[in-house]
Amino acid sequence: MAIGQLTRVSLPYPTTWDIQASFGGRPTSLGTLFIQSVTNNRVNGAVNFRGTFIPMQGTWNEATRQIAFDTQFASFVGSLFSKDESQLNLRHYVLQGNVLMKPPSIRAGERGTWTALTHVRQC
């Protein structure tokens, strides 16, 4: 997927993101990431890969625009970028990073990459 020129911005919330995880260079999991709140650099929300909402908690570093969060099955780390589409008055947000699967997942120990996308109207 071509993303184009990206710039660093603040993490929007509450937001719903399309998320894709890839292992071995192949997309294997498509789902939804919900970022409910970011308070005192703490991120709360949920992920949904197979129809079940799994709580997630993590941290957000505003200075580096980096996120790290855990679910019961995986640990995610990544960076936030955005691209403005002024003609449509939209900002496209992109989170990209690495994922490590952990027990009790059947993929425990596997490492991969993940990308999450959301779009927010600009006022």
Side-chain angles (χ1 to χ4, degrees):
M1 150 183 29
I3 297 173
Q5 181 64 35
L6 301 174
T7 56
R8 292 185 181 271
V9 294
S10 294
L11 184 65
Y13 67 90
T15 47
T16 301
W17 305 68
D18 295 322
I19 187 169
Q20 175 180 330
S22 299
F23 298 90
R26 285 183 265 149
T28 55
S29 297
L30 299 173
T32 307
L33 167 66
F34 302 97
I35 297 179
Q36 185 61 41
S37 65
V38 180
T39 306
N40 296 326
N41 297 331
R42 293 280 182 210
V43 178
N44 289 295
V47 294
N48 179 350
F49 278 109
R50 291 191 172 89
T52 302
F53 290 92
I54 302 167
M56 72 82 155
Q57 294 183 350
T59 58
W60 166 248
N61 184 322
E62 185 71 30
T64 62
R65 306 296 193 259
Q66 293 185 327
I67 191 170
F69 61 91
D70 288 299
T71 70
Q72 95 184 64
F73 298 106
S75 295
F76 297 79
V77 295
S79 298
L80 176 69
F81 303 93
S82 77
K83 180 178 183 344
D84 288 337
E85 196 164 345
S86 56
Q87 289 180 327
L88 297 177
N89 205 28
L90 276 180
R91 176 169 282 170
H92 304 283
Y93 289 92
V94 180
L95 285 167
Q96 293 179 311
N98 297 307
V99 58
L100 172 63
M101 301 304 293
K102 58 187 186 181
S105 171
I106 59 172
R107 292 185 169 274
E110 287 188 49
R111 294 180 182 275
T113 59
W114 65 282
T115 301
L117 303 167
T118 196
H119 316 284
V120 176
R121 288 249 175 240
Q122 299 298 297
C123 296

